[in-house]
Amino acid sequence: MSTGTGTGTGSGRSTATWRNWAGNVTTRPAREVTPATVDELAGALREARADGLRAKPVGSGHSFTAAAATDGLLIRPGLLTGIRGIDRAAGTVTVEAGTPLKRLNTALAREGLSLTNMGDIMEQTVSGAVSTGTHGTGRDSASIAAQITGLELVTADGTVLTCSADQNADVFAAARVGLGALGVITAITFAVEPVFFLTAREEPMTFERVTSDFDALFTENEHFEFYWFPHTGNCNTKRNNRSLGPVAPPGRISAFVEDELLSNGLFQVVNSLGRAVPATIPGIAKISSKALSARTYTDIPYKVFTSPRRVRFMEMEYAVPREALVETLRELRAMVDRSRLRISFPVEVRTAPADDIALSSASGRESAYIAVHMYKGTPYQAYFAAAERIFTAHEGRPHWGKLHTRDAEYFAEVYPRFGEFTALRDRLDPDRVFGNEYLRRVLGD
């Protein structure tokens, strides 16, 4: 979560330091604003521009990069929350951009509605999640941004743009994953559907079986993901598929043991031990990779897709072409096995279909995601650098909110529509009001 205190509505001098969730990014803005209306936000942007200040909106701080860092105007979305309206005939919901995903999911459930797909946590604001390309896993259903049918964007000069496939279509094509570079999103319209049931099947499986049978596991399941535990040949798989119900959640004891004790409490202890004594990690990995047992349960989507994540970490995630996943993952395992690295966090693997968003990591190609993690406070640079060399050799695209070292020159090669995005940025924000060091690196100047 982000820390620091806001200054209420309107602009004012800031004395607070803003930190991201992982604690690796800190910034002290000159001014903060917590607008209660779109007009207040537009006015604050015009004032900042007149004063020569750059401006950035921040969400919950769940990005590991400095995408939201600014020394100018920090925009907090805490008062721009809630559902603006539901159109049941169109199958859409319009929500204020500062609404946390957790609040959106529970509000939709009360209305008998649901997003089709979502990521595995729901602490982020909707605007922060879509702007960085947050995704879950799906054979047919894509990222959260790909479920957007319209959005409202305030540009650097205070202009309010309504964007969809039919209105300001060029902006819509880019701003769904806009990195905060094109303007400030103030509202998002999502496609939704009547709430449905998902049956989750979690099952341990060997690395060799998962990689050998990956195409079948992917094809046969609507949502397939797995975790490989480095230093072992063990994985834990999860298959989510629609069902007729009824609701059959994990028992209270099972849920506590699996989701709280093993996945959070004991995992925290294990990682703390591994950080203090790295030599213990391979042995611990062999034990912990066998601790989670097979289970099956059924519930509404957000209760199946998402789970609590209380152990803090650093993360890098790359999207590679789906057909390159198995080769890439085997290279990653071989690298770990021949190295002196000690890795206590599992590697997460998910998939997404191709979409039509300019800077989506799945833009124009079916993708598989490989996420590597290190426990907070543990040196991660050597592991991430070695993993990144493997990912980039397969034309990998890094998640915009997770650690990477790529720059605009690289992105121009792996994103066919990169020039389309930067040209739009030149038009909407020629003075780089929304710029910062991270955007200078990844988008150029």
Side-chain angles (χ1 to χ4, degrees):
M1 289 292 187
S2 59
T3 61
T5 56
T7 58
T9 58
S11 298
R13 174 173 289 181
S14 172
T15 58
T17 296
W18 179 84
R19 293 180 177 84
N20 67 341
W21 177 82
N24 65 308
V25 177
T26 61
T27 185
R28 185 181 291 275
R31 187 183 299 171
E32 291 187 13
V33 64
T34 308
T37 67
V38 175
D39 286 344
E40 282 186 13
L41 170 60
L45 286 174
R46 285 191 289 266
E47 183 181 343
R49 188 183 187 200
D51 293 342
L53 293 179
R54 295 188 294 184
K56 296 297 293 182
V58 299
S60 61
H62 266 269
S63 288
F64 297 87
T65 69
T70 185
D71 56 3
L73 175 65
L74 186 78
I75 302 164
R76 295 183 180 274
L79 298 180
L80 295 174
T81 62
I83 291 177
R84 283 192 185 179
I86 296 172
D87 186 335
R88 293 183 184 273
T92 62
V93 59
T94 300
V95 61
E96 302 279 351
T99 307
L101 284 167
K102 179 186 295 184
R103 191 178 304 173
L104 173 61
N105 286 331
T106 55
L108 287 175
R110 286 195 299 269
E111 297 289 339
L113 299 169
S114 177
L115 294 170
T116 299
N117 199 358
M118 59 193 75
D120 57 8
I121 63 171
M122 52 181 181
E123 305 303 320
Q124 313 99 308
T125 61
V126 293
S127 57
V130 302
S131 294
T132 54
T134 296
H135 61 91
T137 189
R139 180 191 61 205
D140 308 306
S141 54
S143 70
I144 300 176
Q147 297 170 69
I148 295 175
T149 63
L151 59 85
E152 182 179 80
L153 185 78
V154 183
T155 62
D157 63 2
T159 300
V160 181
L161 297 178
T162 300
C163 308
S164 68
D166 301 318
Q167 192 172 5
N168 293 306
D170 57 339
V171 180
F172 181 70
R176 284 173 287 170
V177 180
L179 317 185
L182 305 177
V184 180
I185 295 175
T186 48
I188 299 172
T189 300
F190 290 105
V192 293
E193 59 178 302
V195 72
F196 53 93
F197 295 115
L198 283 174
T199 293
R201 178 183 173 190
E202 298 177 2
E203 180 185 5
M205 199 175 290
T206 66
F207 181 92
E208 288 306 325
R209 181 184 167 193
V210 171
T211 52
S212 297
D213 296 349
F214 174 75
D215 285 342
L217 290 164
F218 165 80
T219 302
E220 293 166 4
N221 295 282
E222 292 175 78
H223 309 274
F224 176 68
E225 64 184 307
F226 67 94
Y227 298 83
W228 164 57
F229 294 80
H231 312 297
T232 80
N234 303 324
C235 297
N236 199 50
T237 65
K238 185 176 182 181
R239 286 169 266 192
N240 298 332
N241 291 287
R242 295 192 185 215
S243 72
L244 297 177
V247 169
R252 293 179 64 182
I253 294 176
S254 170
F256 173 77
V257 170
E258 297 276 346
D259 300 327
E260 293 296 335
L261 181 60
L262 294 179
S263 297
N264 285 292
L266 183 60
F267 194 51
Q268 176 83 54
V269 173
V270 164
N271 276 277
S272 296
L273 174 61
R275 182 175 64 186
V277 189
T280 64
I281 289 176
I284 292 172
K286 289 180 173 61
I287 297 171
S288 60
S289 66
K290 296 179 180 180
L292 297 172
S293 57
R295 62 175 180 168
T296 300
Y297 53 94
T298 301
D299 217 320
I300 60 175
Y302 83 86
K303 294 184 179 181
V304 174
F305 283 130
T306 69
S307 55
R309 292 284 185 268
R310 287 186 257 280
V311 180
R312 303 213 175 198
F313 52 84
M314 303 298 289
E315 181 177 2
M316 169 183 284
E317 181 180 61
Y318 267 74
V320 298
R322 187 174 66 79
E323 63 271 17
L325 169 67
V326 171
E327 180 183 357
T328 307
L329 196 58
R330 285 175 174 163
E331 290 176 13
L332 183 68
R333 183 184 183 186
M335 179 276 290
V336 170
D337 287 347
R338 67 174 178 263
S339 75
R340 301 182 66 180
L341 296 168
R342 296 294 178 261
I343 301 155
S344 60
F345 251 84
V347 173
E348 183 179 20
V349 178
R350 295 176 287 176
T351 66
D355 62 42
D356 63 350
I357 305 170
L359 290 191
S360 165
S361 52
S363 181
R365 73 183 191 191
E366 285 195 48
S367 299
Y369 297 92
I370 304 175
V372 297
H373 313 70
M374 287 291 272
Y375 183 52
K376 183 181 177 182
T378 303
Y380 62 84
Q381 290 85 350
Y383 177 35
F384 286 11
E388 191 172 40
R389 285 192 290 271
I390 294 170
F391 299 151
T392 55
H394 292 279
E395 298 185 337
R397 299 168 177 171
H399 189 298
W400 294 108
K402 299 177 184 179
L403 295 176
H404 65 89
T405 66
R406 300 298 90 187
D407 59 16
E409 182 179 0
Y410 179 83
F411 292 125
E413 295 177 357
V414 298
Y415 281 99
R417 298 172 65 183
F418 186 76
E420 173 187 329
F421 186 97
T422 55
L424 180 65
R425 183 191 185 206
D426 288 342
R427 177 164 66 85
L428 294 182
D429 187 19
D431 299 325
R432 300 298 188 256
V433 172
F434 300 116
N436 62 13
E437 293 303 317
Y438 177 74
L439 293 184
R440 180 176 292 111
R441 171 163 69 88
V442 302
L443 297 178
D445 214 8

